[in-house]
Amino acid sequence: ETGVTQSPTHLIKTRGQQVTLRCSSQSGHNTVSWYQQALGQGPQFIFQYYREEENGRGNFPPRFSGLQFPNYSSELNVNALELDDSALYLCASSLLGEGTDTQYFGPGTRLTVL
Amino acid sequence: AQKITQTQPGMFVQEKEAVTLDCTYDTSDQSYGLFWYKQPSSGEMIFLIYQGSYDEQNATEGRYSLNFQKARKSANLVISASQLGDSAMYFCAMFKGNFGNEKLTFGTGTRLTIIP
């Protein structure tokens, strides 16, 4: 196990609603990245947080937003949910500046939008 | 922009045989890194192995080795003595720069099935 946890495990929402996903990083890690993995595809980078600041963003609209807290845990918020937002959402934690800075992933949150 | 190509959507391999999963990449950067991750049906991405662009030796981690051919821009994963528990999706991913915590670009994955 990586020590990265995510909640909830599964979530069902309807179109237009808002959702918050949570991630607790591995102990000692200061960076959290979020990825969206649609069915049958590889993960796509959403954004990254380092020391509570956004540190890079992929090609996702502003209705995808995030936060990182002083304990380095993180939230992903998605407003105005669309059907295409149905996916597995993965967070990964890492420690900037240490060796290869390998990103360790959590088990994911599976979001279904109806 | 970086791009990862995995040309094998699915593979079936007999237990205890070795298997090679293909990965080619495209980047204009000199400094980059390559990862392989395993994703069981549970969904978690499990780190397997890492290769830096400046590493002269191929990376190895237990039964996993990475066949890194920089001039051909390929980074194939070799699993020796396959086991039933190796059945999963396998993703090749890369980042540019010096730090592995940068944005990762993933391929579309290969579904590996080990046959008893």
Side-chain angles (χ1 to χ4, degrees), chain B residues 73-94:
Chain B
K73 293 188 176 178
S74 75
N76 297 340
L77 176 70
V78 179
I79 306 174
S80 64
S82 57
Q83 303 171 356
L84 296 179
D86 294 334
S87 293
M89 284 291 292
Y90 287 80
F91 289 95
C92 180
M94 74 175 297

Side-chain angles (χ1 to χ4, degrees), chain A residues 2 31 35 37 41-43 45 48 88 90 94 96 100-103 105-107, chain B residues 35 37 39 42-45 47 50 91 98-104 106-108:
Chain A
T2 64
T31 303
Y35 294 82
Q37 186 178 18
Q41 298 183 21
F45 175 76
Q48 181 184 88
L88 179 68
L90 296 162
S94 55
L96 175 62
T100 62
D101 308 313
T102 299
Q103 296 188 34
F105 285 80
Chain B
F35 290 102
Y37 286 90
Q39 187 177 43
S42 59
E44 183 173 355
M45 300 287 279
F47 165 71
Y50 165 80
F91 289 95
N98 297 315
F99 302 110
N101 69 332
E102 298 286 340
K103 160 193 169 181
L104 291 177
F106 285 82
T108 52

Side-chain angles (χ1 to χ4, degrees), chain A residues 26-106:
Chain A
Q26 185 171 323
S27 178
H29 283 183
N30 55 17
T31 303
V32 173
S33 302
W34 286 92
Y35 294 82
Q36 180 196 65
Q37 186 178 18
L39 197 62
Q41 298 183 21
Q44 299 288 318
F45 175 76
I46 303 175
F47 46 54
Q48 181 184 88
Y49 278 84
Y50 169 64
R51 292 187 175 178
E52 303 179 57
E53 298 281 337
E54 188 177 288
N55 185 41
R57 188 178 183 94
N59 189 25
F60 280 81
R63 59 189 186 84
F64 286 78
S65 63
L67 284 173
Q68 188 180 31
F69 300 99
N71 66 355
Y72 302 124
S73 66
S74 177
E75 285 183 356
L76 164 65
N77 299 291
V78 187
N79 294 322
L81 283 167
E82 301 177 0
L83 297 180
D84 285 349
D85 296 333
S86 294
L88 179 68
Y89 288 84
L90 296 162
C91 80
S93 78
S94 55
L95 179 60
L96 175 62
E98 288 287 330
T100 62
D101 308 313
T102 299
Q103 296 188 34
Y104 293 96
F105 285 80

